[in-house]
Coordinates of all heavy atoms in Angstrom, one line a residue:
H519 N -5.0 -18.2 29.0 CA -4.7 -17.5 30.2 C -3.4 -16.7 30.0 O -3.4 -15.5 30.5 CB -4.5 -18.5 31.4 CG -4.4 -17.7 32.7 ND1 -3.2 -17.6 33.3 CD2 -5.3 -17.0 33.4 CE1 -3.4 -16.8 34.4 NE2 -4.7 -16.5 34.5
L520 N -2.4 -17.2 29.4 CA -1.2 -16.5 29.2 C -1.4 -15.2 28.3 O -1.0 -14.1 28.6 CB -0.1 -17.3 28.4 CG 0.6 -18.4 29.2 CD1 1.3 -19.4 28.3 CD2 1.5 -17.8 30.2
S521 N -2.3 -15.4 27.3 CA -2.6 -14.2 26.4 C -3.3 -13.1 27.2 O -3.1 -11.9 27.2 CB -3.4 -14.8 25.2 OG -4.0 -13.7 24.6
L522 N -4.4 -13.6 27.9 CA -5.3 -12.7 28.7 C -4.5 -12.0 29.8 O -4.6 -10.8 30.1 CB -6.5 -13.4 29.2 CG -7.4 -13.9 28.2 CD1 -8.4 -14.9 28.9 CD2 -8.2 -12.8 27.6
S523 N -3.6 -12.7 30.4 CA -2.8 -12.1 31.5 C -1.8 -11.1 30.9 O -1.6 -10.1 31.6 CB -2.2 -13.3 32.4 OG -0.9 -13.1 32.5
A524 N -1.3 -11.3 29.8 CA -0.4 -10.4 29.2 C -1.2 -9.1 28.8 O -0.7 -8.0 29.0 CB 0.2 -11.0 27.9
Q525 N -2.4 -9.3 28.3 CA -3.3 -8.1 28.0 C -3.5 -7.3 29.3 O -3.5 -6.1 29.3 CB -4.6 -8.6 27.4 CG -4.4 -9.2 26.0 CD -5.7 -10.0 25.6 OE1 -6.8 -9.5 25.8 NE2 -5.5 -11.1 25.0
Q526 N -3.8 -8.1 30.4 CA -4.1 -7.4 31.6 C -2.9 -6.6 32.1 O -3.0 -5.4 32.5 CB -4.5 -8.4 32.7 CG -4.9 -7.8 34.0 CD -5.0 -8.9 35.1 OE1 -4.3 -9.9 35.1 NE2 -6.0 -8.7 36.0
H527 N -1.7 -7.2 31.9 CA -0.5 -6.4 32.3 C -0.3 -5.1 31.5 O 0.0 -4.1 32.1 CB 0.7 -7.4 32.2 CG 2.0 -6.7 32.6 ND1 2.3 -6.7 34.0 CD2 2.9 -6.1 31.9 CE1 3.5 -6.1 34.1 NE2 3.9 -5.7 32.9
L528 N -0.5 -5.3 30.2 CA -0.3 -4.1 29.4 C -1.2 -3.0 29.8 O -0.8 -1.8 29.8 CB -0.5 -4.5 27.8 CG 0.6 -5.4 27.3 CD1 0.1 -5.8 25.8 CD2 1.9 -4.6 27.2
L529 N -2.5 -3.4 30.1 CA -3.4 -2.3 30.4 C -3.1 -1.7 31.8 O -3.2 -0.6 32.0 CB -4.9 -2.9 30.4 CG -5.4 -2.9 28.9 CD1 -6.7 -3.6 28.8 CD2 -5.6 -1.5 28.4
T530 N -2.8 -2.6 32.7 CA -2.5 -2.1 34.0 C -1.3 -1.1 34.0 O -1.4 0.0 34.6 CB -2.0 -3.3 34.9 OG1 -3.0 -4.3 34.8 CG2 -2.0 -2.9 36.4
R531 N -0.3 -1.5 33.2 CA 0.9 -0.5 33.1 C 0.5 0.7 32.4 O 1.0 1.8 32.7 CB 2.0 -1.3 32.3 CG 2.6 -2.4 33.0 CD 3.1 -2.2 34.4 NE 4.2 -1.2 34.3 CZ 5.5 -1.5 34.3 NH1 5.8 -2.7 34.3 NH2 6.4 -0.5 34.1
T532 N -0.4 0.6 31.4 CA -0.8 1.8 30.7 C -1.6 2.7 31.6 O -1.3 3.9 31.6 CB -1.7 1.4 29.4 OG1 -1.0 0.5 28.7 CG2 -2.1 2.6 28.6
F533 N -2.5 2.1 32.4 CA -3.3 2.9 33.4 C -2.3 3.6 34.4 O -2.5 4.7 34.7 CB -4.4 2.1 34.1 CG -5.6 2.1 33.3 CD1 -5.9 0.9 32.5 CD2 -6.6 3.1 33.3 CE1 -7.1 0.9 31.7 CE2 -7.7 3.0 32.6 CZ -7.9 1.9 31.8
A534 N -1.4 2.8 34.9 CA -0.5 3.3 35.9 C 0.3 4.4 35.4 O 0.4 5.5 36.1 CB 0.4 2.2 36.4
A535 N 0.8 4.3 34.2 CA 1.5 5.4 33.5 C 0.6 6.7 33.4 O 1.1 7.8 33.6 CB 2.1 5.0 32.2
K536 N -0.6 6.5 33.0 CA -1.5 7.6 32.8 C -1.7 8.3 34.1 O -1.7 9.5 34.2 CB -2.8 7.0 32.2 CG -3.9 8.1 32.0 CD -3.6 8.8 30.7 CE -4.7 9.8 30.4 NZ -4.2 10.8 29.5
I537 N -1.9 7.5 35.2 CA -2.2 8.2 36.5 C -1.0 8.9 37.0 O -1.0 10.1 37.5 CB -2.7 7.1 37.5 CG1 -4.0 6.6 37.1 CG2 -2.6 7.6 38.9 CD1 -4.5 5.4 37.9
E538 N 0.2 8.3 36.7 CA 1.5 9.0 37.1 C 1.5 10.3 36.4 O 1.9 11.3 36.9 CB 2.6 8.0 36.7 CG 4.0 8.5 37.1 CD 4.2 8.6 38.6 OE1 3.5 8.0 39.4 OE2 4.9 9.5 39.0
D539 N 1.2 10.3 35.1 CA 1.3 11.5 34.3 C 0.4 12.6 34.8 O 0.7 13.7 34.9 CB 0.9 11.1 32.8 CG 0.8 12.3 31.9 OD1 1.8 13.1 31.9 OD2 -0.2 12.5 31.3
L540 N -0.9 12.2 35.2 CA -1.8 13.1 35.8 C -1.3 13.7 37.1 O -1.5 14.9 37.4 CB -3.2 12.5 35.9 CG -3.9 12.1 34.6 CD1 -5.1 11.3 34.9 CD2 -4.3 13.4 33.9
R541 N -0.6 12.8 37.9 CA -0.2 13.3 39.2 C 0.9 14.3 39.1 O 1.0 15.2 39.9 CB 0.4 12.1 40.0 CG -0.7 11.4 40.8 CD -0.2 10.2 41.6 NE 1.1 10.5 42.2 CZ 1.9 9.5 42.7 NH1 1.6 8.2 42.6 NH2 3.1 9.8 43.1
R542 N 1.7 14.2 38.0 CA 2.8 15.1 37.8 C 2.3 16.6 37.5 O 3.0 17.5 37.7 CB 3.7 14.7 36.6 CG 4.8 13.8 37.1 CD 5.8 13.6 36.1 NE 6.2 12.2 35.9 CZ 6.0 11.5 34.8 NH1 5.6 12.1 33.7 NH2 6.4 10.3 34.8
R543 N 1.0 16.6 37.0 CA 0.5 17.9 36.7 C 0.1 18.7 37.9 O -0.4 18.0 38.9 CB -0.7 17.8 35.8 CG -0.4 17.1 34.5 CD -1.5 17.2 33.5 NE -1.3 16.2 32.5 CZ -2.2 16.0 31.5 NH1 -3.3 16.7 31.4 NH2 -2.0 15.1 30.6
S544 N 0.2 20.0 38.0 CA 0.0 20.8 39.2 C -1.5 20.6 39.6 O -1.9 20.4 40.8 CB 0.4 22.2 39.1 OG -0.1 22.7 37.9
L545 N -2.3 20.8 38.6 CA -3.8 20.7 38.9 C -4.3 19.5 38.0 O -4.7 19.8 36.9 CB -4.5 22.0 38.5 CG -4.6 23.1 39.5 CD1 -5.2 24.3 38.9 CD2 -5.3 22.6 40.8
P546 N -4.3 18.3 38.5 CA -4.7 17.2 37.7 C -6.1 17.3 37.2 O -7.0 17.6 38.0 CB -4.5 16.0 38.6 CG -3.8 16.4 39.8 CD -4.0 17.9 39.9
P547 N -6.3 17.2 35.8 CA -7.6 17.3 35.3 C -8.3 15.9 35.5 O -8.6 15.2 34.5 CB -7.4 17.6 33.8 CG -6.0 17.0 33.5 CD -5.3 17.0 34.8
W548 N -8.5 15.6 36.7 CA -9.1 14.2 37.0 C -10.5 14.0 36.3 O -10.8 13.0 35.8 CB -9.3 14.0 38.5 CG -8.0 13.9 39.2 CD1 -7.5 14.9 39.9 CD2 -7.1 12.8 39.1 NE1 -6.2 14.5 40.4 CE2 -6.0 13.2 40.0 CE3 -7.0 11.6 38.6 CZ2 -4.8 12.4 40.2 CZ3 -5.9 10.7 38.8 CH2 -4.9 11.2 39.6
H549 N -11.3 15.1 36.2 CA -12.5 15.0 35.6 C -12.4 14.7 34.1 O -11.7 15.4 33.4 CB -13.3 16.3 35.8 CG -14.6 16.3 35.1 ND1 -15.6 15.4 35.5 CD2 -15.1 17.0 34.0 CE1 -16.7 15.6 34.7 NE2 -16.3 16.6 33.8

Side-chain angles (χ1 to χ4, degrees):
H519 186 257
L520 284 168
S521 163
L522 293 167
S523 126
Q525 292 166 39
Q526 184 189 33
H527 182 83
L528 289 175
L529 278 171
T530 311
R531 297 300 300 266
T532 302
F533 273 98
K536 179 78 182 164
I537 289 170
E538 185 61 28
D539 174 52
L540 289 169
R541 270 183 40 198
R542 271 196 225 122
R543 302 188 196 179
S544 50
L545 274 176
W548 293 104
H549 176 67

